Amino acid sequence: MQPEDSTAIRIFLVDDHEIVRRGLRELLESVPRFEVVGEAGTAAEALARIPATSPDIAIFDARLPDGSGIDVCREIRSRYPATKALILTSFDDERALSSAVLAGAAGYLLKDIKGNGLVDAILAVAAGKQLLTPADVERARRSWARESQVDPRLQSLSPQERRVLDHIARGMTNREIGLTLSLAEKTVKNYVTAVLGKLGMESRTQAAVFAATHPPSAGGAASP
């Protein structure tokens, strides 16, 4: 029997392996309250399909053929904060964990988790709980601390570019940054492109982690 719409937990699956998605769908659809509303095998597909399906929870593989599931998680969480996120990956990687923390994921789970464990995790996140334990956050902080050094790339940023970088680290969209700094959204986009270029990075998540490990006191004042 299908659950009532008011009680159903709508789930979206993002994994590049079809067999993994099939297994997850079969497992989750055996739970009366769960409804799998869509799936994607690439970052591009996820960004296109998740907004159209309005899931309560999106489950992301950390690594996708055309990018990072964590980057997609960050973008979705930034644009659609009502959609909660779980990272489900084969890789127990501190850098990926720290990125997941900054991307707004509610949990970072390994694929060797038991079926009941995944079900419990989804129920907990749907109820508004965070699965990232203090130990997870401490691991992320250790990862940030190891990378935290004075970096000459910070000195290449203008004060406005540094402000934009700080807002990226807070998970703000270009529109939100524009409203905060009284800039046009297109202007913010240009700043973001410039910041990524100067830092030698490809994604907002990379820049956010960099900013978190390099507070203003570490990098000194940016040159005008």
Side-chain angles (χ1 to χ4, degrees):
M1 181 179 296
Q2 291 296 319
E4 296 292 333
D5 290 344
S6 61
T7 62
I9 298 172
R10 298 165 56 82
I11 302 168
F12 193 100
L13 306 175
V14 183
D15 195 291
D16 59 328
H17 295 99
E18 182 183 2
I19 192 68
V20 172
R21 297 199 307 273
R22 284 185 178 182
L24 286 172
R25 178 183 283 272
E26 182 177 347
L27 167 67
L28 298 179
E29 289 187 337
S30 70
V31 179
R33 287 191 62 198
F34 291 175
E35 178 185 358
V36 177
V37 295
E39 58 183 66
T42 66
E45 289 175 353
L47 287 170
R49 295 176 182 174
I50 290 177
T53 55
S54 299
D56 300 305
I57 296 176
I59 300 176
F60 298 94
D61 190 358
R63 302 184 184 182
L64 298 170
D66 57 340
S68 165
I70 296 175
D71 284 344
V72 180
C73 169
R74 181 182 182 84
E75 182 68 17
I76 292 298
R77 289 284 298 142
S78 176
R79 292 164 54 192
Y80 309 99
T83 296
K84 300 177 176 66
L86 285 170
I87 305 298
L88 182 63
T89 179
S90 302
F91 304 97
D92 188 10
D93 180 88
E94 285 191 357
R95 181 169 294 181
L97 172 61
S98 66
S99 296
V101 171
L102 289 169
Y108 185 91
L109 308 174
L110 297 180
K111 286 185 177 177
D112 60 2
I113 190 173
K114 301 296 184 182
N116 288 343
L118 179 58
V119 170
D120 289 343
I122 293 171
L123 289 170
V125 170
K129 297 179 181 178
Q130 277 281 338
L131 300 184
L132 290 167
T133 66
D136 290 331
V137 176
E138 181 58 31
R139 284 179 61 203
R141 286 175 178 168
R142 286 199 303 268
S143 177
W144 299 336
R146 282 196 296 271
E147 297 177 3
S148 181
Q149 300 174 354
V150 175
D151 193 305
R153 289 175 291 180
L154 280 177
Q155 299 178 358
S156 72
L157 300 181
S158 71
Q160 187 75 305
E161 289 170 342
R162 183 56 201 250
R163 283 189 284 271
V164 169
L165 175 61
D166 290 340
H167 288 313
I168 290 173
R170 296 187 183 103
M172 298 174 69
T173 64
N174 288 354
R175 176 171 295 183
E176 290 169 338
I177 295 173
L179 291 172
T180 301
L181 299 180
S182 299
L183 297 172
E185 187 173 351
K186 183 177 180 180
T187 301
V188 174
K189 183 178 180 180
N190 291 337
Y191 272 120
V192 172
T193 300
V195 167
L196 294 179
K198 289 183 178 182
L199 296 181
M201 297 175 180
E202 298 179 353
S203 73
R204 296 171 76 100
T205 297
Q206 289 176 308
V209 172
F210 179 86
T213 62
H214 297 77
S217 59
S223 59

